[in-house]
Amino acid sequence: MPETRIAVDNHACAVCSQLDNHPMIHTDIPDWVDLEGRSHQFPSFHFDCLPPELEYRLGNDDTHPQHYNTRQAIKAAREGTHGEDLRHYIQELADQFNDNAYGELNPHTFRLGGNDDPEQSVDDETRRRADELQRAYQSVRGNE
Amino acid sequence: MSKFTTFANDVLDLSVPNGSSGTVTVGSTTYTLPFKVELTTTVSTAGAAGTAFSGGSYAAQTLAGNCTTAAASASKSTTGTLTYSNMPAGTWADVFIKDSTATPKNVIFRGGSSLAKTVNAGDTCLISSGNLTATES
């Protein structure tokens, strides 16, 4: 049965100004200023439009599964996965690397120091499977 | 009457703790660490927390390890980014902090005007480092 999705995005990307239904990253930054000096209240960004200074704040040490999944989505978007393909990719990441935090983390994919442990991290197997997923999506897109 | 700054800072370190375990007691009520940040679809008031998101991969994110700098000048901000990936659809309206007891106790909330961010399934919400700030006066 085809999925019916109602386009409810009503926020233009603060970087590219496009108003569309691609997955977005929403922030609660009260006054983000773009390169042209324009101020944006609570800006939203496409995954591949997220400014470097905000991406930097996600860190790069794989210490948090939600950060990790978002970084993977950013990477996929920059390599050409958008729209529903990106949504499906994000969902598959979530399904495989369940980061419903605090008691529901998948012990097979995340190394845990204990419930609620902020030091939870992504192991090599998780990274390998995420890379496989991404390659699979790129392959599908390449055949479209 | 006003709080002395040193006491206000202590209150903030209690309200926005960096710890991952243990308890803090205020009056006769004991709160369990870590404290967590909920995103809500409605705005909180002093009498009632907003309705937390539910679905997707949504889960309240911990403050543990994300508030490493002690309060100063009656203000305390997060030092790490709180990331909520694979969100369910809804409207991101507000934020509040709760403790980790089985039936969580609400601590502090943002309130005021709604963030009014339309969130689609699969989106990510970020509270970037330094952007969640609590103040005492």
Side-chain angles (χ1 to χ4, degrees):
Chain A
M1 191 171 183
E3 180 183 5
T4 300
R5 183 180 294 282
I6 300 170
V8 293
D9 267 352
N10 61 3
H11 301 286
C13 173
V15 169
C16 71
S17 301
Q18 292 299 303
L19 180 64
D20 52 41
N21 196 33
H22 293 314
M24 301 193 86
I25 296 175
H26 307 286
T27 78
D28 69 342
I29 301 171
D31 54 355
W32 181 74
V33 179
D34 64 22
L35 292 174
E36 296 174 353
R38 293 172 301 196
S39 184
H40 300 259
Q41 185 182 37
F42 312 140
S44 297
F45 307 93
H46 293 124
F47 277 80
D48 49 341
C49 292
L50 188 70
E53 72 268 24
L54 294 182
E55 184 183 358
Y56 175 77
R57 296 188 196 183
L58 289 172
N60 57 9
D61 55 0
D62 292 345
T63 56
H64 195 296
Q66 297 251 358
H67 294 186
Y68 179 80
N69 283 355
T70 294
R71 284 205 316 279
Q72 290 299 314
I74 291 169
K75 183 178 175 187
R78 286 182 177 158
E79 294 179 357
T81 304
H82 295 103
E84 289 307 296
D85 287 344
L86 184 55
R87 287 188 208 284
H88 287 304
Y89 176 65
I90 291 168
Q91 184 60 54
E92 288 199 32
L93 276 173
D95 289 343
Q96 293 213 23
F97 319 127
N98 185 354
D99 55 3
N100 272 318
Y102 321 123
E104 297 178 37
L105 285 162
N106 184 342
H108 300 296
T109 53
F110 287 112
R111 185 174 64 250
L112 295 177
N115 209 19
D116 287 335
D117 188 336
E119 298 305 317
Q120 56 194 256
S121 64
V122 178
D123 60 21
D124 291 342
E125 175 64 10
T126 299
R127 273 188 284 272
R128 185 187 65 75
R129 292 169 65 186
D131 288 343
E132 279 182 1
L133 256 181
Q134 190 153 331
R135 280 195 295 274
Y137 269 87
Q138 287 166 352
S139 175
V140 169
R141 288 187 60 79
N143 293 329
E144 286 177 349
Chain B
M1 299 282 280
S2 298
K3 296 185 186 73
F4 286 103
T5 301
T6 50
F7 182 69
N9 289 339
D10 288 343
V11 170
L12 286 168
D13 284 331
L14 184 152
S15 306
V16 190
N18 188 58
S20 60
S21 61
T23 59
V24 293
T25 300
V26 180
S28 59
T29 304
T30 298
Y31 297 83
T32 303
L33 275 59
F35 283 9
K36 297 176 182 177
V37 180
E38 288 271 23
L39 307 187
T40 62
T41 59
T42 57
V43 175
S44 295
T45 64
T51 303
F53 273 92
S54 177
S57 296
Y58 175 76
Q61 295 297 300
T62 181
L63 282 177
N66 286 314
C67 303
T68 56
T69 303
S73 303
S75 178
K76 184 170 185 175
S77 298
T78 47
T79 55
T81 294
L82 306 179
T83 303
Y84 303 77
S85 62
N86 193 35
M87 290 287 292
T91 299
W92 180 14
D94 203 1
V95 170
F96 75 91
I97 296 175
K98 66 180 186 180
D99 82 338
S100 285
T101 43
T103 302
K105 302 180 182 80
N106 299 331
V107 181
I108 55 176
F109 66 100
R110 171 185 167 276
S113 60
S114 172
L115 287 167
K117 301 297 294 184
T118 300
V119 177
N120 272 345
D123 286 359
T124 289
C125 291
L126 291 185
I127 301 176
S128 61
S129 175
N131 210 41
L132 187 67
T133 300
T135 56
E136 281 283 336
S137 58

